[in-house]
Amino acid sequence: MPRAPTTVAELAAPTRPVARALPKGQQTKAAIVDAALRMAAQLGLEGLSIGAVAEAMGMSKSGVFAHFGSRDELQISVVREYYARFEQEVFEPALLQPRGLPRVRALFDHWMRYTGAELDSGCIFISGAVEFDDRPGAVRDALAEAVSAWMEAMARAVAQASAEGHLQAEVDAQQVTFEIHALILALHYEARFLHLPGAVDRARCGFENILARYGSTPAAAPAPVSPRGQRSR
């Protein structure tokens, strides 16, 4: 297992190259956001400051401030970049699948892969919800908007699965989405906080059981499964 980052500079190490086609000022801003995003994954959005990011980037505070104008704007930029990456890696590939259960499955599978990659760092959506749940303001609004957009995308996919006859006609798409989202939250809690083995398998088992419970016919969805993968009868 690779050594965990121990310094601000290591936390801010680039995770992807900045597009060289951008003007220099935009390149610099993109690099700052990339560094701040990596820091926020480890330290939370509240762990970000103009000074800390400036130190990590080898820039002056005034140089970073010139690109954002405030700490809040830096945090909001990080939230938006995180969502853009989440959308690119989770939502966009799933749209290539046919409407209905194939797309719902693809959304969950890509979400699980994304979540699995974050278990050693952290999810800004989850940590941000804890940090800003009772703190009104622009940063909380940006977080809520991003999470809501993703939940609405999943709910639409579930509703389409119902329309295609893959799930019950009267299925409550919001309820199904709630239950799927709960699996991801439980996975983070058990795997990242409690370090319990088998959490990923339990999350996948839970997803299959949701599909079985809301399936329109026995043939439309698999029978419920146990965490060990055996079908229930």
Side-chain angles (χ1 to χ4, degrees), residues 19-225:
R20 297 188 178 278
L22 295 173
K24 184 176 180 180
Q26 292 183 35
Q27 286 188 46
T28 301
K29 184 173 183 178
I32 294 171
V33 171
D34 187 71
L37 176 54
R38 184 169 174 83
M39 291 174 64
Q42 295 281 346
L43 306 174
L45 286 168
E46 280 295 89
L48 292 180
S49 70
I50 297 291
V53 174
E55 178 186 348
M57 294 294 297
M59 298 174 62
S60 66
K61 290 183 181 180
S62 60
V64 174
F65 187 85
H67 286 283
F68 300 96
S70 70
R71 180 176 181 237
D72 280 2
E73 284 303 316
L74 173 63
Q75 292 171 322
I76 290 169
S77 294
V78 167
V79 170
R80 289 173 177 166
E81 176 63 15
Y82 180 82
Y83 179 73
R85 297 185 187 190
F86 183 88
E87 189 177 47
Q88 182 179 24
E89 296 186 32
V90 177
F91 184 63
E92 292 179 4
L95 286 180
L96 300 177
Q97 298 300 316
R99 289 162 58 106
L101 275 188
R103 188 171 296 177
V104 173
R105 284 187 178 279
L107 284 170
F108 184 75
D109 287 344
H110 288 296
W111 196 1
M112 284 288 289
R113 291 193 191 98
Y114 200 86
T115 299
E118 291 181 325
L119 291 179
D120 290 331
S121 57
C123 173
I124 289 177
F125 285 167
I126 294 175
S127 63
V130 174
E131 294 172 320
F132 292 92
D133 60 350
D134 58 354
R135 294 175 53 188
V139 179
R140 185 193 183 281
D141 290 346
L143 273 166
E145 181 181 350
V147 174
S148 295
W150 167 241
M151 293 296 97
E152 289 168 7
M154 176 62 84
R156 282 196 302 272
V158 172
Q160 290 169 358
S162 176
E164 294 291 327
H166 300 161
L167 296 176
Q168 297 167 13
E170 68 278 10
V171 72
D172 183 339
Q174 296 296 334
Q175 178 63 33
V176 177
T177 300
F178 178 92
E179 294 180 27
I180 293 174
H181 189 201
L183 294 175
I184 298 295
L185 297 179
L187 172 60
H188 267 271
Y189 196 93
E190 291 205 0
R192 180 165 164 75
F193 178 56
L194 298 177
H195 302 292
L196 295 179
V200 171
D201 289 339
R202 281 190 287 276
R204 292 194 178 279
C205 167
F207 178 70
E208 294 299 330
N209 288 339
I210 289 171
L211 296 188
R213 188 163 64 254
Y214 292 106
S216 59
T217 65
V225 298

